[in-house]
Amino acid sequence: MESNTSVDKAPQNGYDIPVYGLNNGTFLAIHIPAILCIVTSFSCAVTAVVLSFKHRNYQSFFSHWSKSERFVVYLAMCDGLFNVAHFTDHLHIVIVRNHVYPKELCEFYGFNLALFITAQNLMVNVVAVNAFMLMYFDRHINFGRYDWRLLAWTFGAPFLGATIAGILGQLGTNGSFCYFDGIKGRLTNTFFTTVPLLIVLVMNIVLYILTWNQIRKQCNDIKVSLGPMPASMRASHRAARAMSLFVAAFFIQWWAMALYGIWGLATDDVPQPIFHFVTTFSNIGGILNLGVFIIIRRRQYAKGEHVSTERSKGSHRSHSHGHSHDVSTTCDTESHALELTIKDNHLAVPHANH
């Protein structure tokens, strides 16, 4: 009788959930691919940081590096720290073939995941907003000295939220890894992860589409007013492709997590393939971002001499065509901005003083 009562007892927390995959032989199929993706992603994140600092002086990071170059480092840091936290989580579960004990350790893993997942989402959203503001309102967001406003928002807000969740006992195991408790933290997970992630995904896509349209409009205006400018048009196309790559990278990494959250709102029985998608796609951010970084960096080198020539010509044209130089320079510089149309104000909009 006591055994039946124990079996029928409603789960009180995530530790009452069976370890996902053990009962049907898919345990290793969940964790091994995730670990491989994490290791590869971490290597790519480190590579992105090394390449960023290879030919640049780290002492001038805040004074002479453009926003685009600093964003690359920040995003690589988010990916790398996320990978470290999640690697230890998955490896722990694989070794013990059980939930992570003690629960405080699982809460620590979950805290780090909540922090770095949210930080990355907010960072990418800031990139999108900055690009939109620059192209539509000729303004850029002031991140403050040493980017303190940016860092306080992207890391400070998630740190505060994750701390509150930890104090309230919302962190723990969900059966696959340590994040928000699969029983006690379901509602918190919805409002901390699912809802913000969906908002960021939709917002980023909309903002980048609007920004891309604005770039095309400006370059078309140049073509009408100054005649054919193949170089500028090619630059606008490169900018559009770069933005598409960045949006695609973000979407590829987080679509499964968003789908998992939406499915979880409708039913408790989330199909197992969704777990596989979550533990795979969410762990390849470093790979995707390094790919975008390399593609755009190669385009920078390929057109480096051309950009200097165009800027020189644009400076000459500005005396006879006024504002046309500003728009032309914007089209050129936006095409090879690593944060996808975001540059320091003195590079992106020469005539503006914000």
Side-chain angles (χ1 to χ4, degrees):
M1 179 66 68
E2 291 181 0
S3 176
N4 291 336
T5 302
S6 177
V7 171
D8 296 335
K9 183 180 179 181
Q12 301 298 309
N13 55 55
Y15 284 97
D16 294 329
I17 302 174
V19 176
Y20 211 80
L22 281 180
N23 60 342
N24 59 9
T26 61
F27 175 79
L28 293 179
I30 293 174
H31 294 282
I32 296 303
I35 291 175
L36 293 176
C37 290
I38 290 170
V39 172
T40 306
S41 179
F42 177 77
S43 301
C44 291
V46 172
T47 300
V49 174
V50 171
L51 291 176
S52 296
F53 284 95
K54 185 176 181 180
H55 301 294
R56 300 301 303 270
N57 184 354
Y58 72 92
Q59 294 179 334
S60 63
F61 183 79
F62 294 104
S63 59
H64 292 89
W65 288 41
S66 67
K67 286 181 180 178
S68 64
E69 293 164 330
R70 299 200 300 272
F71 272 127
V72 169
V73 175
Y74 293 147
L75 288 173
M77 289 175 57
C78 286
D79 281 319
L81 294 172
F82 165 76
N83 292 147
V84 170
H86 213 21
F87 173 80
T88 54
D89 174 17
H90 277 289
L91 185 63
H92 189 134
I93 294 175
V94 168
I95 292 174
V96 301
R97 303 231 170 185
N98 199 351
H99 294 294
V100 174
Y101 289 97
K103 69 180 183 65
E104 289 79 10
L105 180 58
C106 189
E107 291 172 348
F108 175 72
Y109 291 153
F111 175 88
N112 287 314
L113 290 190
L115 172 61
F116 297 125
I117 288 175
T118 308
Q120 185 178 30
N121 292 340
L122 294 179
M123 182 74 68
V124 174
N125 187 237
V126 169
V127 173
V129 173
N130 203 143
F132 176 81
M133 293 293 293
L134 178 63
M135 297 305 300
Y136 269 84
F137 301 101
D138 205 18
R139 301 178 65 89
H140 74 114
I141 300 174
N142 182 8
F143 294 145
R145 186 176 177 83
Y146 303 123
D147 292 337
W148 74 266
R149 292 190 180 94
L150 171 68
L151 300 177
W153 168 243
T154 57
F155 290 99
F159 180 86
L160 179 61
T163 299
I164 294 174
I167 293 174
L168 297 178
Q170 301 296 295
L171 300 174
T173 181
N174 60 17
S176 296
F177 52 89
C178 295
Y179 191 43
F180 288 98
D181 190 284
I183 301 299
K184 297 190 300 181
R186 291 185 60 188
L187 186 61
T188 303
N189 183 43
T190 298
F191 288 100
F192 198 96
T193 304
T194 304
V195 173
L197 182 56
L198 289 173
I199 292 175
V200 169
L201 280 171
V202 174
M203 187 176 178
N204 285 356
I205 293 173
V206 171
L207 289 177
Y208 275 125
I209 290 175
L210 292 175
T211 303
W212 178 74
N213 285 335
Q214 183 70 357
I215 293 173
R216 290 188 59 189
K217 179 179 181 299
Q218 290 183 352
C219 292
N220 285 336
D221 290 344
I222 292 173
K223 185 176 181 179
V224 171
S225 62
L226 301 179
M229 294 183 64
S232 295
M233 295 303 297
R234 287 195 301 269
S236 68
H237 293 163
R238 283 191 293 268
R241 287 196 299 268
M243 286 187 291
S244 298
L245 285 172
F246 197 80
V247 173
F250 182 78
F251 181 81
I252 290 172
Q253 182 179 2
W254 296 112
W255 72 269
M257 181 74 80
L259 178 61
Y260 171 79
I262 295 174
W263 208 302
L265 293 176
T267 177
D268 293 334
D269 187 19
V270 180
Q272 184 165 335
I274 302 299
F275 283 97
H276 290 279
F277 291 146
V278 171
T279 56
T280 299
F281 284 97
S282 62
N283 295 318
I284 62 174
I287 302 172
L288 297 171
N289 288 327
L290 177 62
V292 174
F293 171 81
I294 292 175
I295 291 173
I296 300 177
R297 176 59 66 88
R298 291 179 62 183
R299 292 174 182 172
Q300 284 182 332
Y301 286 134
K303 69 184 293 293
E305 181 179 351
H306 168 71
V307 170
S308 299
T309 302
E310 285 299 311
R311 286 180 180 173
S312 176
K313 292 179 179 179
S315 178
H316 175 73
R317 286 195 300 265
S318 65
H319 295 290
S320 58
H321 296 286
H323 181 68
S324 63
H325 158 61
D326 299 328
V327 180
S328 177
T329 304
T330 298
C331 292
D332 276 342
T333 57
E334 294 303 322
S335 69
H336 63 89
L338 204 47
E339 84 291 30
L340 309 177
T341 76
I342 298 178
K343 277 288 191 182
D344 282 336
N345 198 43
H346 68 282
L347 293 178
V349 190
H351 69 285
N353 294 310
H354 301 304

